[in-house]
Amino acid sequence: MEANQYEDTLREMFGIHAYNTFTMDKLVQNLVRQLQHIAGDDICVQTTDAFLDEKKNGATGGPVATMLQRANAEAAYQKRVEQILMDENCFRAMIFKNGFRMTVDLLDTETENSDEPVEVEKWSEYVEKYINNDEVMSEELREQLARKPVFLQRNIRQWHACNKNQQNKETEASTENADPSSATSSPPRKSLNEDMDIIDNTECKFNVNSFKMVYVVNSESYLYKRLALRKAKESHRKVSLKFHSNFSAYVDRWRAKNVTSEMDEACAKWLMGKGDGLKACETTRHDDNSLEKAPFYPYNKYSVEYFEEPTPPVEESQ
C-alpha cells in the first residue's frame, strides 16, 4: 500500500486521531533507514569500531566526578573521530542521566587549504625564523619588543649588572694570574647550568595551512634554579621595605602637590567615622602589627562598631 493511500485509509478509520499512527509509521521508516546506513556505510562502521575500542579505555563517558581523570582519553578519542569525519560534520553529544539533559556540540573539523605562492612563502619564512638559532635580531623585531616587551626591565638591568661584575672579576683574575709574583689562582667560572635543573621535552606540531603551533599532550619543559626559594625568603624583607619606601615617597610627592591640609584632616575624620551624613559608629584604629612578619612595616587597621538607632514610638490612634 502506498504511503498516501495508507494515510487516507487511517483518516477514514480514526478521523483526527489518525496522525499518531501514520506519524509513527514515518518514524519507523526513518529509523530503519538510519540503521541500514549505519550498518552499510564505511564511515559509520569506522566510527562504531572506534567507539567500541575507546569504550574499553574508558574514553566514552562515565561519572561526572571522574571527568578530569578521563580528559586525556576523551581528547584522544575525539581527535580519532575527527580524523575519520574529516569531510563531514562531527557532533559531540553528552547525556546527563541524573539531570535528564543532553548537549550537542558541532566540532570544527574543517581546515583551510591554501596553495597560493604568497602563503607558502610566508610559511617557509615563519619556519625558518622559528628554527634559526642566529642571535641577530631584525630592526622590525627590535621595534616590536621596544613597544611590547616580553620581559621585565628590572631583570634585564640585573642581568647586565651581573655580567658586568663577572667580567670585572675575570679581568682581575687574569691580571693576577699574569703577575709572576702571584701564586694564587682564580677559581673556575661557574656555569649557569650548574645552578639550574633544566629538562626540555616539549613537543609541538605545526599546521601548514593555518600557521598554528599545537603542543603535544604530556610533553613539557622544566626549569628550576637551586636555592631560589631560600634566597627569596632571605631577601623578602629587604625587597618589601625597598618597594614600600619607593611607593611612600611617590605618595608623599603626590600629596604635597594635590592634597591640602583641610582635605587631609577631612580624610582622617572620615576614616574614624566622624563627619556629616555618616551612620553613628565607634571606629578603633590598630597599628600594633608585628614588624617581623610581612609586609615588615607598620600599617593601620580599622574596626567599626555601629550603634543601633532607637526606633521611634508608634502613635496609637483613639
Side-chain angles (χ1 to χ4, degrees):
M1 183 179 295
E2 296 181 358
N4 295 333
Q5 184 180 359
Y6 177 70
E7 293 183 9
D8 295 338
T9 304
L10 291 177
R11 286 194 183 95
E12 292 177 0
M13 296 174 60
F14 303 103
I16 61 175
H17 303 287
Y19 74 93
N20 291 327
T21 306
F22 59 73
T23 301
M24 185 62 66
D25 179 69
K26 292 182 179 179
L27 178 61
V28 172
Q29 291 180 6
N30 291 332
L31 290 176
V32 172
R33 190 180 299 110
Q34 291 295 331
L35 291 175
Q36 290 177 350
H37 180 70
I38 292 175
D41 189 73
D42 293 337
I43 301 263
C44 294
V45 173
Q46 293 179 17
T47 54
T48 304
D49 294 340
F51 174 80
L52 296 177
D53 292 342
E54 297 295 338
K55 187 176 182 180
K56 300 176 182 177
N57 302 329
T60 58
V64 179
T66 60
M67 182 181 297
L68 295 178
Q69 300 177 5
R70 307 188 310 271
N72 294 334
E74 290 181 354
Y77 173 44
Q78 178 176 329
K79 290 294 183 182
R80 180 178 176 182
V81 176
E82 288 179 359
Q83 293 178 359
I84 298 174
L85 302 175
M86 186 65 67
D87 300 330
E88 300 183 12
N89 292 332
C90 183
F91 295 89
R92 177 179 179 180
M94 298 181 63
I95 302 174
F96 299 89
K97 297 181 180 179
N98 294 336
F100 302 101
R101 182 166 55 94
M102 183 179 71
T103 61
V104 180
D105 299 331
L106 175 61
L107 304 179
D108 185 13
T109 59
E110 297 181 358
T111 57
E112 299 179 358
N113 298 322
S114 177
D115 296 332
E116 298 181 2
V118 178
E119 299 294 334
V120 175
E121 183 179 356
K122 288 183 179 180
W123 166 251
S124 302
E125 183 181 357
Y126 172 74
V127 175
E128 183 179 357
K129 288 183 178 180
Y130 187 82
I131 64 177
N132 191 10
N133 293 327
D134 191 4
E135 296 182 357
V136 179
M137 292 189 298
S138 62
E139 294 297 332
E140 182 181 358
L141 181 58
R142 290 180 182 275
E143 293 178 0
Q144 182 179 358
L145 292 178
R147 293 194 304 269
K148 295 182 179 181
V150 294
F151 40 75
L152 295 177
Q153 294 294 337
R154 67 169 181 265
N155 291 348
I156 297 296
R157 292 194 297 267
Q158 294 176 0
W159 183 78
H160 283 302
C162 181
N163 280 353
K164 186 176 181 180
N165 294 335
Q166 188 67 29
Q167 292 176 0
N168 294 337
K169 291 180 181 180
E170 291 180 355
T171 304
E172 294 176 0
S174 60
T175 304
E176 293 178 359
N177 293 336
D179 188 2
S181 60
S182 177
T184 60
S185 61
S186 62
R189 182 178 178 180
K190 194 173 184 180
S191 174
L192 291 177
N193 293 335
E194 296 180 4
D195 294 337
M196 297 184 181
D197 295 333
I198 302 175
I199 301 176
D200 188 5
N201 294 328
T202 306
E203 298 180 8
C204 57
K205 295 180 180 180
F206 292 95
N207 190 336
V208 181
N209 301 316
S210 61
F211 308 124
K212 292 182 180 179
M213 181 178 64
V214 181
Y215 288 97
V216 179
V217 181
N218 296 330
S219 64
E220 57 188 11
S221 296
Y222 170 80
L223 186 147
Y224 176 72
K225 188 175 182 180
R226 300 190 185 96
L227 304 180
L229 181 60
R230 191 180 72 178
K231 292 180 180 179
K233 291 181 178 180
E234 293 175 354
S235 62
H236 186 196
R237 181 187 180 92
K238 180 180 178 181
V239 173
S240 299
L241 293 177
K242 179 182 177 181
F243 286 167
H244 175 66
S245 177
N246 295 339
F247 182 72
S248 299
Y250 167 76
V251 172
D252 293 339
R253 291 194 301 269
W254 185 87
R255 290 176 58 187
K257 294 180 181 179
N258 302 280
V259 180
T260 61
S261 58
E262 291 80 5
M263 296 169 62
D264 194 3
E265 183 178 357
C267 180
K269 290 183 177 180
W270 181 84
L271 289 174
M272 296 302 297
K274 302 176 182 179
D276 298 334
L278 298 179
K279 187 177 180 180
C281 63
E282 181 181 357
T283 304
T284 307
R285 183 179 64 183
H286 307 276
D287 55 358
D288 54 348
N289 61 297
S290 176
L291 301 182
E292 300 299 326
K293 299 180 181 180
F296 308 108
Y297 53 82
Y299 60 91
N300 297 329
K301 294 190 297 184
Y302 296 87
S303 60
V304 182
E305 182 180 357
Y306 292 99
F307 300 137
E308 295 183 0
E309 297 181 357
T311 56
V314 180
E315 298 181 358
E316 298 180 357
S317 60
Q318 297 179 354

